[in-house]
Amino acid sequence: MRIFDGMGIKALALASMAAFAPCVAAAEQPEGYDTLQDMAGTLPVRSYDYAILGIKPGMNGEEAAKRLSEHLGTPMQPTSGVLQVKAPNGAGFRSQMVIGYVTPGIGPTVRMSARPYEEITLDLSTPALGSVVTGIHRTWRIVGDEAPAQGAFFAQIAETYGAPHMTGGKGAGVNEYLYMLSPEGVPVTAPITVTDANGNSSTAAYPCQDKAHPAEGTYRYRGGKGMETGAHCSVRFSVRYQGGAQDATLRFDLVDFDLMRRDEQAADPQIEQKLSAPATATKLDL
């Protein structure tokens, strides 16, 4: 069972999201649960070319999962959760939703083994933004003669997406190409300074990889503060290579921060409206 906590929530409310099964659509809320209304309208088309197996952020989550299931040859498994927020006065918000899709049958045993595998994960927005894809993650281990050499692999990446905006790597035999865009669509090629909601500033050696730019596209309620302010990135696409003597592990991560902010703008007011309602008196035997 996956547990999701509400980051940055202090005085206003406490939030948690817990996974459960089976999944429940937003329109099928049980009694006592709340529904997030779709406030997305028509989302602007993502202007960048970055994609993983043809899947881009902004796509309908169910359609993306269907297409990736065809690629994998097995149905992707939906991950559902409960978003629960409580205010100090006792008012609360509680809603069930699908928060992503995962590749079934992939766990630590498979990841730590030497055999080939492919794992794909989708992050979805809340129903307030239409449950669209906000993040795509793919790990692909290739063994034997089919494993690509590092140079040849990155040559294909550069041929497809152009020269990387930055490069990096950790550990022997690991390298990474990073493609990052500002909200204006300009490539981010140097560290940026980010200021959090409390006014604290920090400069990350690798931009777009800090509190304002999470590794996953899953929604978090932050007490109405929104994501940390500062010189934000709108999207991050990273491609990593880790090679051994007889294998290569390729990792692709694509997260759209603009969609995440739009998700907060669509969901937060609905949650806050429920939290501001007068608390219902208890009926304890006094």
Side-chain angles (χ1 to χ4, degrees):
M1 178 176 290
R2 297 173 62 194
I3 303 297
F4 300 81
D5 61 2
M7 298 177 64
I9 301 168
K10 295 181 181 178
L12 178 63
L14 299 175
S16 65
M17 186 177 283
F20 64 93
C23 65
V24 180
E28 303 171 343
Q29 298 293 334
E31 183 178 356
Y33 283 69
D34 303 294
T35 299
L36 282 172
Q37 301 298 324
D38 188 341
M39 307 297 290
T42 302
L43 291 172
V45 177
R46 303 294 93 186
S47 60
Y48 49 79
D49 295 327
Y50 313 129
I52 296 177
L53 294 172
I55 305 299
K56 293 179 68 172
M59 287 186 61
N60 175 271
E62 289 187 2
E63 176 61 25
K66 179 180 179 181
R67 288 174 56 176
L68 291 173
S69 295
E70 294 173 353
H71 166 81
L72 292 168
T74 186
M76 293 194 73
Q77 177 180 325
T79 301
S80 299
V82 175
L83 172 63
Q84 183 166 306
V85 185
K86 283 193 174 183
N89 68 354
F93 177 92
R94 182 171 58 171
S95 186
Q96 297 181 355
M97 65 191 72
V98 176
I99 59 175
Y101 288 85
V102 298
T103 305
I106 304 295
T109 301
V110 174
R111 298 187 189 103
M112 295 175 66
S113 71
R115 64 178 186 265
Y117 76 93
E118 184 174 11
E119 179 180 13
I120 302 172
T121 302
L122 290 177
D123 306 324
L124 301 188
S125 72
T126 70
L129 202 72
S131 298
V132 300
V133 175
T134 52
I136 311 131
H137 315 275
R138 181 192 186 199
T139 301
W140 184 16
R141 179 183 294 146
I142 308 171
V143 300
D145 294 338
E146 295 183 358
Q150 178 173 304
F153 171 68
F154 280 117
Q156 180 183 353
I157 298 300
E159 184 178 275
T160 304
Y161 299 109
H165 302 156
M166 293 185 72
T167 60
K170 299 177 181 179
V174 180
N175 203 351
E176 180 176 23
Y177 273 18
L178 290 164
Y179 298 86
M180 302 162 291
L181 299 177
S182 72
E184 296 73 31
V186 178
V188 177
T189 58
I192 59 176
T193 299
V194 175
T195 304
D196 63 22
N198 297 317
N200 301 313
S201 298
S202 62
T203 301
Y206 290 99
C208 313
Q209 301 184 57
D210 46 49
K211 289 183 178 181
H213 307 93
E216 298 179 351
T218 309
Y219 171 83
R220 297 289 189 275
Y221 180 71
R222 305 168 194 276
K225 294 181 179 180
M227 299 180 74
E228 280 79 355
T229 58
H232 289 309
C233 301
S234 62
V235 65
R236 179 185 66 230
F237 179 45
S238 68
V239 182
R240 280 171 281 175
Y241 177 101
Q242 182 172 2
Q246 298 291 328
D247 70 288
T249 300
L250 315 178
R251 172 81 182 188
F252 306 81
D253 292 281
L254 175 57
V255 180
D256 191 306
F257 307 113
D258 174 67
L259 285 175
M260 293 178 67
R261 295 182 189 105
R262 290 175 183 269
D263 194 16
E264 292 193 354
Q265 292 166 1
D268 284 5
Q270 299 184 58
I271 296 173
E272 289 156 15
Q273 182 178 20
K274 187 68 185 295
L275 295 179
S276 64
T280 301
T282 61
K283 297 182 180 180
L284 301 176
D285 184 5
L286 303 178

